[in-house]
Amino acid sequence: MSVVLARPPALGPLLARGALLSPFKRPRPDADFPRDRLVLPALRIDLARLAAYERVCGFATGDDALPLAYPHVLGFPLAMRLMSGLGFPLPLLGLVHTSIEITRYRAPAVTGEYELAVYIGGLAPHRRGTEASVVTEVRVGEDVLWESTSTYLARHRTAGSPAERAEHMPLPAVAEWHLAGDVGRRYGAVSGDRNPIHMHPLTARLFGFPRPIAHGMWTVARCLAAHGAPEAVRVRAEFRAPVLLPGTVTYAADGHGRFELRSGTGVPPLERSRERGRVHLEGRVLPLTT
């Protein structure tokens, strides 16, 4: 069923509701989940917010088309409304964004008016718990311009065995980025995702992190800003490990559309044995063929 919204929901109350309901959730892959399709029928782009996003993610400002990952930001409040509700079986606290696949058929213009829709694609078993897929679509009339599927993992006890990872062959290094400690706060301001793990060392420590961590979608956007992409494109990215802030990371890419972000040379001594060369993000840019 489609539920038409007059405006994007406020994220603060949704985050609070999701946190309060989390202890009562019992995740399992065969659980029921909300079937509603949330729709904003006449979405227009806030140009000031878009420009702030472009600056924090490294995109050129003033382009006629939306940055490739930006519609995810537009759909995030709708996704949070679905995932913070009583009917969503996975607890919001501790939910981990594990991957995203973006398909852009035609670049949405910054001055356009769009229908934005978000819905839960389903639940699936994962070796470490239960994974939910969340689908976001940007349309003009019947035409889908942009769509994505994100997966979110709720960890819990399973009968699965640990997956064996193939030996990683590092991609050629392209650049080393020194990330400021306020990247999480700056991205949180433009995306609305003010999860405490991104905001401040004290709040990050409450969730087991020694320092704040960068948003996964910031790392994707920052890599795409450096990599570039054709208009008709599919991007697949997997989040492997959090990026601690402040920190130094290496952006790497090859000539076949693959890119990655891994820990750079400036790792603090106490973290060096664990973080040096650690892969945080792996992705690929695939041109769509007609």
Side-chain angles (χ1 to χ4, degrees):
M1 180 181 71
S2 290
V3 177
V4 178
L5 307 178
R7 62 184 62 85
L11 277 167
L14 296 179
L15 290 168
R17 180 178 72 175
L20 290 172
L21 291 176
S22 287
F24 304 101
K25 303 292 184 73
R26 297 294 180 265
R28 66 181 197 276
D30 60 345
D32 196 13
F33 58 89
R35 311 289 171 151
D36 291 340
R37 182 175 182 267
L38 302 185
V39 179
L40 286 173
L43 177 72
R44 298 192 70 87
I45 306 303
D46 182 330
L47 297 182
R49 183 185 180 196
L50 171 62
Y53 171 90
E54 290 169 333
R55 287 191 294 269
V56 74
C57 295
F59 290 101
T61 58
D63 283 352
D64 294 334
L66 293 179
L68 181 52
Y70 190 65
H72 175 88
V73 171
L74 302 175
F76 185 69
L78 281 66
M80 285 300 303
R81 174 165 162 168
L82 291 170
M83 293 193 291
S84 66
L86 184 61
F88 186 69
L90 309 187
L92 193 63
L93 285 181
L95 204 62
V96 179
H97 195 181
T98 51
S99 74
I100 187 167
E101 179 173 297
I102 297 170
T103 304
R104 183 174 69 185
Y105 303 97
R106 180 159 53 91
V110 299
T111 54
E113 183 174 282
Y114 305 104
E115 178 186 281
L116 178 73
V118 177
Y119 60 93
I120 306 298
L123 303 179
H126 185 278
R127 62 183 177 82
R128 299 175 67 184
T130 298
E131 207 166 51
S133 61
V134 179
V135 179
T136 303
E137 299 174 339
V138 176
R139 294 175 178 263
V140 172
E142 296 298 317
D143 295 332
V144 178
L145 305 186
W146 184 102
E147 61 185 353
S148 73
T149 300
S150 284
T151 57
Y152 296 89
L153 173 66
R155 296 189 181 99
H156 58 82
R157 189 182 300 276
T158 71
S161 57
E164 293 185 7
R165 293 290 304 276
E167 183 178 354
H168 179 73
M169 300 297 293
L171 299 180
V174 175
E176 191 165 78
W177 297 335
H178 302 284
L179 310 182
D182 67 347
V183 166
R185 292 189 294 275
R186 291 172 60 208
Y187 186 82
V190 299
S191 68
D193 184 358
R194 291 183 171 88
N195 188 317
I197 61 177
H198 307 300
M199 296 292 104
H200 191 275
L202 292 178
T203 55
R205 286 192 201 104
L206 294 175
F207 295 89
F209 297 100
R211 302 198 301 279
I213 65 173
H215 295 73
M217 286 306 300
W218 178 86
T219 65
V220 170
R222 183 68 186 89
C223 288
L224 290 175
H227 190 282
E231 180 172 16
V233 67
R234 179 169 290 120
V235 174
R236 296 177 179 140
E238 295 187 8
F239 306 107
R240 297 297 188 190
V243 175
L244 297 173
L245 300 171
T248 301
V249 293
T250 296
Y251 165 69
D254 64 10
H256 304 286
R258 294 186 303 162
F259 63 87
E260 68 182 20
L261 202 64
R262 57 181 185 258
S263 295
T265 58
V267 178
L270 292 178
E271 300 170 9
R272 191 162 293 159
S273 61
R274 184 183 73 244
E275 293 291 328
R276 187 80 174 265
R278 190 181 194 187
V279 177
H280 301 284
L281 171 73
E282 292 179 312
R284 190 160 192 182
V285 175
L286 301 163
L288 293 182
T289 56
T290 56

